Amino acid sequence: MTDLRRSPLHDRHVALGAKMADFGGWSMPIEYPGGGVVAEHTAVRERVGLFDVSHLGKARVSGPGAAAFVNACLTNDLRRIGPGQAQYTMCCDESGGVVDDLIQYLRADDDVFLVPNAANTAEVVRRLAAAAPEGVLVEDRHEGYGVLAVQGPRSDEVLRRLGLPTDHDYMSFVETTWDGLPVIVCRTGYTGERGYEIIPAWDVTASVWDALLEAVRAEGGLPAGLGARDTLRTEMGYPLHGNDLSLDITPVMAGAAWAVGWDKDTFWGKDALVAQRVAKDGRLMRGLVVTGRGIPRSHCAVRDASGALVGEVTSGTFSPSRKQGIALALLDRSVTLGDEVVVDVRGRDVAATVTRPPFVEAGVRSS
């Protein structure tokens, strides 16, 4: 993995004995010794976990009219939020396909901070820079900041141990300092639990990690790898770009039409998405709960009771919370909630029930 990019915490993960793997072109921890994915998943659901997600992209769009420019490009409507708030959105191409899904942080009318996915950052920045009017600057700050996620019911207690703010609303952020160092504390996450994403400067990320890890362990928590992050997000039905969103899977198909500002004058892909929405065309994302023995995985075929092909799994895993297989799948519109289907898992038919995610209850918006 010598050609992979490295987090500012790479040496910390190696010292902890983490299993490292390629994730979006970055060498990142998948799990740590002492229980692995299930233990880390359970820690987040019941107590607290600490993730390094510094592989996520960071970009800044600044200058007069920066927010209006971003709003004319990405799907969601920035006018719905104010400075100090964050919003989930998507970058689409003209076909309506999803180039990337990302979080946009509105600092001011002339300053928007973006956090795209690792592998797509360069393309999102390229598209925005190519479209930017004179006076609006689009900067790739991928290695300018680290990102640490504190997730779980005891995340507030962890942040309080460091003197960091915890009283802001879901999908909002506070720019503050820790030990004299600037950090952004965002009330966001990808696990479904109450939590925070903390964004320090790249070169001080290790110091913040060390302090957070000590606090997490004091609250009975664990460092957690991207394996647990995947099982946690799948239990919530949160999409992963490249699986559940792609150039071939539009926001309409993925059940993410809520993240589209349909009333906006323009955004990339609007004409195609409006047409698809009106035509009620294309498969739709549904949840599957396995009732037989087996764990569905991406690209597994889904068939109805008569044996007809009705779709394909996009993300599948074993749910540590439910102790059974779960999946997200793109299914024909003829398939409805409650239907019984069969998933082809390595040539073996596994029974499943069609449902609406999330698969578990969690405390993401709890006060």
Side-chain angles (χ1 to χ4, degrees):
M1 295 192 294
T2 55
D3 58 337
L4 297 178
R5 299 169 79 172
R6 291 184 171 185
S7 148
L9 302 175
H10 181 83
D11 292 344
R12 296 290 199 283
H13 302 315
V14 172
L16 286 170
K19 177 183 177 182
M20 307 295 288
D22 179 355
F23 199 93
W26 291 69
S27 175
M28 297 299 294
I30 301 303
E31 61 181 44
Y32 298 89
V37 170
V38 173
E40 294 163 20
H41 177 112
T42 303
V44 172
R45 286 277 182 251
E46 297 180 355
R47 300 177 304 281
V48 66
L50 174 63
F51 299 83
D52 175 19
V53 286
S54 298
H55 64 303
L56 292 174
K58 305 99 195 170
R60 184 186 183 194
V61 184
S62 59
F69 162 67
V70 170
N71 203 38
C73 298
L74 307 183
T75 60
N76 215 332
D77 194 342
L78 266 175
R79 297 171 301 183
R80 294 172 177 168
I81 66 172
Q85 293 181 296
Q87 188 182 61
Y88 177 77
T89 190
M90 284 166 279
C91 173
C92 291
D93 70 1
E94 290 310 308
S95 73
V98 182
V99 175
D100 195 27
D101 63 329
L102 59 157
I103 302 291
Q104 50 190 358
Y105 297 87
L106 181 61
R107 282 171 153 163
D109 289 343
D110 60 357
D111 194 350
V112 182
F113 188 73
L114 304 174
V115 178
N117 286 294
N120 302 326
T121 299
E123 180 61 14
V124 171
V125 169
R126 185 195 69 78
R127 287 173 181 253
L128 288 169
E134 186 175 354
V136 172
L137 177 64
V138 181
E139 302 170 90
D140 187 337
R141 303 298 307 280
H142 208 146
E143 296 188 14
Y145 301 90
V147 185
L148 307 175
V150 178
Q151 300 283 295
R154 300 197 65 78
S155 56
D156 281 21
E157 287 81 353
V158 169
L159 266 66
R160 289 189 192 116
R161 286 176 179 268
L162 273 67
L164 293 173
T166 60
D167 57 355
H168 45 304
D169 293 334
Y170 179 60
M171 295 301 285
S172 70
F173 62 97
V174 175
E175 302 199 45
T176 185
T177 59
W178 172 80
D179 200 23
L181 306 169
V183 294
I184 306 171
V185 180
C186 314
R187 185 86 150 74
T188 49
Y190 195 46
T191 66
E193 295 299 334
R194 183 179 178 89
Y196 301 84
E197 290 176 307
I198 298 166
I199 306 178
W202 185 269
D203 58 358
V204 301
T205 301
S207 297
V208 181
W209 166 273
D210 291 344
L212 284 170
L213 184 56
E214 182 179 352
V216 163
R217 284 176 165 157
E219 294 294 336
L222 294 171
L226 299 188
R229 190 168 182 260
D230 191 60
T231 56
L232 289 157
R233 70 93 189 168
T234 304
E235 286 188 345
M236 291 305 297
Y238 293 160
L240 175 66
H241 190 273
N243 287 48
D244 318 297
L245 293 166
S246 70
L247 291 174
D248 297 318
I249 304 175
T250 70
V252 175
M253 297 167 66
W258 59 269
V260 178
W262 297 104
D263 294 333
K264 293 197 300 182
D265 291 337
T266 185
F267 57 85
W268 293 339
K270 179 178 180 180
D271 290 347
L273 289 172
V274 169
Q276 185 180 55
R277 190 186 192 202
V278 170
K280 294 182 169 32
D281 186 30
R283 287 173 166 171
L284 294 176
M285 193 70 67
R286 301 290 194 190
L288 299 178
V289 174
V290 169
T291 54
R293 292 176 58 85
I295 302 173
R297 301 295 184 187
S298 298
H299 306 300
C300 286
V302 181
R303 301 182 185 278
D304 66 14
S306 68
L309 181 68
V310 293
E312 181 178 270
V313 171
T314 55
S315 286
T317 192
F318 172 79
S319 164
S321 300
R322 297 184 60 131
K323 296 181 172 53
Q324 64 190 136
I326 59 172
L328 299 175
L330 272 180
L331 303 177
D332 291 349
R333 288 174 181 255
S334 60
V335 180
T336 60
L337 297 176
D339 282 358
E340 300 296 322
V341 295
V342 172
V343 183
D344 182 345
V345 178
R346 297 180 178 177
R348 188 166 57 87
D349 288 347
V350 175
T353 302
V354 180
T355 188
R356 179 184 288 112
F359 301 98
V360 299
E361 291 187 13
V364 65
R365 292 180 178 83
S366 63
S367 59

